[in-house]
Amino acid sequence: SSGINADWPLRPGFPQSTSLINRLQKATSCGFNALEVAFPYSWSLDEWQEALTAHPMQVVLINTPLGVNKEPGLASCQNKLTEFMAGVQLGVEYCTALKCSQLHIMAGNEPPYEGQRHIFIHNMRQASDILKKHGIVGLIETISPGTIPGYFLNDPRETLMLVQDICVPNIAFQFDVFHLSMLGETDEQIADLFDGCNLHFIKHVQVAQTPKRNEVNAEGGVDYRKIFKHMISRRYSGYVGLEYTPQDSSDRPCSEETLQFLSEF
């Protein structure tokens, strides 16, 4: 299944004034029935209910909010447990209201310090206890330095090891092919990461072409035909989020014309 990212209109293309209800209308008119939205908190829950009532879609993923100082998450930060847990609680509130079963728990980019890995595992277990009560899966994601410099989770193998070391059934890996490629992973290495027992820990996939984060059929470093074929062969059944910036920077990044590339896959 494929999903569309509702944050698209905030990138070059749609005016920022485009309402939430119009964004969902454009997505459903193009045949999508699911979406992920990094930060849904710009809209009230009443606005979300109105938009989803008018244009029903399954919300499949949201992020925890940024820190009060705009930090990209707090899960790996020292002396921030109270603020971190407040962000998790807000994420749970939105997940519950939007019937979303996955919450991306952002790790942060605080400079390395002694015991950081231990604190991250402790904080994630604290978060998982809350998520479990609401039937929500927490996801962690490897993010490349060009997107978030100094992000704590910058190695996919270490991220997978952390999922295993956190060792709770509702914490899993958010598999972003763009970031893996930007970190230097080849198509073959990306496929290997997807293999075997790793698939047990992968609950969501995101795609975009490197290096400019455009459509997957754009010229770039990833052979998505090979990647998708491999995913199908491994019976991946989760969502694939189209988290990219359209090459067409006109006022129609979500239209039948600009989504024509999907027919190639």
Side-chain angles (χ1 to χ4, degrees):
S1 301
S2 62
I4 190 169
N5 194 316
D7 286 339
W8 254 359
L10 298 182
R11 299 173 180 166
F14 286 161
Q16 291 195 16
S17 59
T18 305
S19 69
L20 176 62
I21 197 167
N22 285 342
R23 298 176 193 209
L24 267 61
Q25 186 276 326
K26 289 178 181 292
T28 55
S29 70
C30 290
F32 289 96
N33 59 14
L35 77 151
E36 59 179 70
V37 52
F39 302 106
Y41 313 103
S42 299
W43 299 282
S44 70
L45 290 175
D46 286 343
E47 290 176 299
W48 271 107
Q49 296 292 356
E50 178 188 8
L52 290 169
T53 298
H55 304 289
M57 299 187 76
Q58 177 64 52
V59 182
V60 298
L61 176 68
I62 67 172
N63 291 356
T64 49
L66 300 176
V68 294
N69 296 314
K70 305 303 181 185
E71 302 99 325
L74 299 168
S76 70
C77 300
Q78 54 186 338
N79 304 319
K80 293 288 184 74
L81 179 59
T82 299
E83 185 184 346
F84 167 68
M85 294 303 290
V88 171
Q89 290 280 11
L90 181 59
V92 167
E93 180 183 346
Y94 267 73
C95 278
T96 301
L98 303 180
K99 296 180 173 59
C100 175
S101 63
Q102 296 185 138
L103 178 65
H104 172 206
I105 301 176
M106 299 192 70
N109 62 347
E110 187 170 295
Y113 61 87
E114 185 176 355
Q116 190 171 25
R117 193 179 192 276
H118 173 77
I119 284 181
F120 178 76
I121 291 173
H122 173 267
N123 290 349
M124 289 299 301
R125 286 175 176 165
Q126 293 283 306
S128 75
D129 287 342
I130 296 175
L131 301 185
K132 184 179 180 180
K133 296 176 183 177
H134 299 273
I136 298 169
V137 174
L139 302 179
I140 59 175
E141 176 186 16
T142 299
I143 296 180
S144 52
T147 302
I148 303 181
Y151 196 69
F152 177 66
L153 301 174
N154 56 24
D155 180 327
R157 290 162 188 82
E158 170 63 6
T159 303
L160 278 165
M161 185 62 68
L162 279 163
V163 171
Q164 296 177 62
D165 289 348
I166 293 165
C167 197
V168 294
N170 66 328
I171 298 297
F173 187 22
Q174 183 170 317
F175 194 92
D176 190 311
V177 178
F178 168 81
H179 289 304
L180 301 187
S181 179
M182 291 299 289
L183 284 164
E185 303 287 341
T186 65
D187 292 344
E188 290 73 22
Q189 289 171 320
I190 291 170
D192 287 344
L193 280 166
F194 206 84
D195 273 350
C197 65
N198 290 345
L199 184 55
H200 173 72
F201 299 110
I202 296 170
K203 299 300 182 185
H204 190 78
V205 172
Q206 293 170 322
V207 296
Q209 186 58 273
T210 58
K212 297 183 179 180
R213 209 166 192 167
N214 296 137
E215 292 92 334
V216 294
N217 71 330
E219 183 177 349
V222 182
D223 183 348
Y224 273 102
R225 288 174 178 79
K226 181 186 295 183
I227 296 297
F228 290 151
K229 183 177 180 180
H230 187 81
M231 288 167 56
I232 291 168
S233 74
R234 295 302 181 266
R235 300 181 184 276
Y236 174 70
S237 59
Y239 282 95
V240 175
L242 303 177
E243 192 184 30
Y244 67 85
T245 300
Q247 293 179 95
D248 183 344
S249 59
S250 72
D251 191 30
R252 52 185 182 88
C254 182
S255 68
E256 291 184 5
E257 292 82 4
T258 56
L259 291 167
Q260 191 65 41
F261 76 93
L262 289 175
S263 63
E264 299 178 28
F265 298 92

